[in-house]
Amino acid sequence: MSDPLPALSPDELRRYARHLSIPEFGIDAQRRLKAGGVLCIGAGGLGSPIAMYLAAAGLGRIGLVDADVVDVSNLQRQILHGTADVGRPKLESARDRLHQINPHVQIDLHRTVFTGENAMAMAADYDVIIDGTDNFPTRYLSNDVAVFLKKPNVYGSILRFEGQCSVFAPHLGGPCYRCMAPQPPAPGLVPSCAEGGVLGVLPGLIGTMQATEAIKLITGIGQPLVGRLLHVDTLSMKFRTFNLRRDPECPVCGDQPTITEPIDYQGFCGLPSQNQPTMSSPTTPDVPAITVKDLQAMQANGETFFLLDVREPYEFEIARIPGSTLIPLGQLAERLDEVPQDQKVVIHCRSGMRSAKALGLLQQEGYKDLWNVTGGILAWSDEVDSTVPTY
């Protein structure tokens, strides 16, 4: 029978010499790596080290999914991109950097959002799916698609100083992501990296772990993190491993699954579904809302109202809407005496989620004339005043 694995060129033999000299790796593992393909969802903080190390290692094919452009606030951690790339599509910047690292690697660019409509077809041609995003709809979608296609899903998440990594693969005897987290948190409860912040080196640490797991899965070496969750706290530099079990009643990977195809993941996570009109950032449907254009008109007309900013002080230093008063969401309950009850209160944050929570808190305290600014200061910068920095 003919050998199905691709041969290594003389240049590749020299390039991967340090792999080939490892007895547990060797030329067969390198050829399996060259024959393999990984779909990496996201070309940001996690996607950068994932893609760079997989390219350097000699993976044959990398698919990158991202619809964003490079922003200056990305550069602190998204090492695929440089200062000269600000304003470019992330995929273009990533492609150029990866080809500099290794011209032998095929780079597939998917400049789109990973959705229930395109995910199955997009992931079908790859051996491993890696989730490099920081939002829950994509997290559940990538998990379900991996289960449906019987492909390993290499999971990673980061926030502030802590991160975690695992491999979800029911077809290999482990659990899926839903076994660990059957339900998503309420919208706005868990901050994104943009809202909560992240130590710049943390995605490098977790993303490198994800790349390592992908290499092990494709080459067949070692013991992947199937059925285990690795947690790291960089402040104490402590690593802990937790055992995970498959849930026989899981709706996706259980004994009698009830979800057998992609669903509305936005709706599942409490956000407006993808077939509904979307705004810069969704808010809870029953929250009274105004647009940034409405807010601009209110200011221009000299209307009396209290403009409340519930972001963190560091965010206020980066960008602010004129006339706003800063009371961080975490301090609002203790500083209610600073919020007038005898006039209209307009609330904003970065994108509209934390301000919606603040509005609900004020409603519980008896405030009446409350309005949430849809899209927050990001929408203000985009639609009203482009000199206000985004972050």
Side-chain angles (χ1 to χ4, degrees), residues 103-390:
H104 298 289
V105 179
Q106 176 181 328
I107 309 297
D108 304 334
L109 304 182
H110 305 278
R111 192 177 181 189
T112 182
V113 177
F114 197 64
T115 69
E117 287 72 31
N118 62 25
M120 291 287 285
M122 197 182 302
D125 293 336
Y126 298 91
D127 301 298
V128 176
I129 299 170
I130 303 185
D131 181 8
T133 66
D134 68 347
N135 69 84
F136 286 96
T138 305
R139 199 164 288 170
Y140 282 95
L141 171 59
S142 61
N143 171 80
D144 293 359
V145 167
V147 175
F148 300 151
L149 296 174
K150 292 182 170 55
K151 298 178 186 290
N153 175 31
V154 183
Y155 158 80
S157 68
I158 51 174
L159 183 64
R160 294 175 179 152
F161 301 102
E162 299 182 27
Q164 51 192 23
C165 179
S166 185
V167 174
F168 296 114
H171 66 291
L172 299 179
C176 78
Y177 177 74
R178 286 180 182 266
C179 298
M180 181 182 74
Q183 295 293 327
L189 184 62
V190 178
S192 66
C193 289
E195 295 171 339
V198 61
L199 184 68
V201 298
L202 178 61
L205 182 61
I206 300 299
T208 302
M209 292 178 181
Q210 290 178 276
T212 304
E213 292 303 300
I215 291 172
K216 289 158 60 180
L217 288 161
I218 291 173
T219 60
I221 66 170
Q223 297 179 340
L225 281 171
V226 176
R228 295 177 293 152
L229 178 74
L230 179 62
H231 178 273
V232 58
D233 179 350
T234 58
L235 285 184
S236 60
M237 201 50 77
K238 290 183 178 180
F239 291 76
R240 295 182 294 170
T241 302
F242 302 91
N243 292 325
L244 302 175
R245 293 183 179 180
R246 175 178 167 270
D247 180 2
E249 298 184 1
C250 174
V252 173
C253 77
D255 297 337
Q256 296 180 323
T258 56
I259 299 175
T260 57
E261 61 184 15
I263 62 173
D264 174 10
Y265 293 91
Q266 294 287 114
F268 175 69
C269 294
L271 303 171
S273 61
Q274 292 168 344
N275 59 2
Q276 293 177 340
T278 58
M279 300 172 290
S280 297
S281 181
T283 58
T284 306
D286 58 354
V287 172
I290 62 171
T291 68
V292 290
K293 293 289 189 181
D294 296 331
L295 174 57
Q296 181 187 34
M298 291 165 58
Q299 291 181 329
N301 295 334
E303 184 174 338
T304 299
F305 62 95
F306 184 79
L307 181 56
L308 173 62
D309 184 340
V310 295
R311 299 174 300 149
E312 295 300 312
Y314 83 90
E315 296 176 277
F316 193 74
E317 290 299 316
I318 295 173
R320 66 188 71 177
I321 297 177
S324 58
T325 297
L326 176 68
I327 303 179
L329 178 60
Q331 302 177 18
L332 184 57
E334 302 173 355
R335 298 173 59 182
L336 290 175
D337 58 328
E338 300 177 38
V339 183
Q341 293 200 34
D342 57 352
Q343 60 179 280
K344 178 183 295 185
V345 177
V346 177
I347 314 168
H348 88 84
C349 63
R350 179 177 180 270
S351 61
M353 298 301 294
R354 283 174 286 175
S355 51
K357 291 183 64 176
L359 189 146
L361 187 154
L362 292 175
Q363 283 179 329
Q364 294 175 2
E365 296 296 329
Y367 287 77
K368 301 297 183 183
D369 198 0
L370 301 170
W371 299 89
N372 185 37
V373 179
T374 298
I377 199 167
L378 291 181
W380 180 270
S381 177
D382 184 49
E383 302 177 32
V384 176
D385 185 359
S386 61
T387 65
V388 174
T390 57

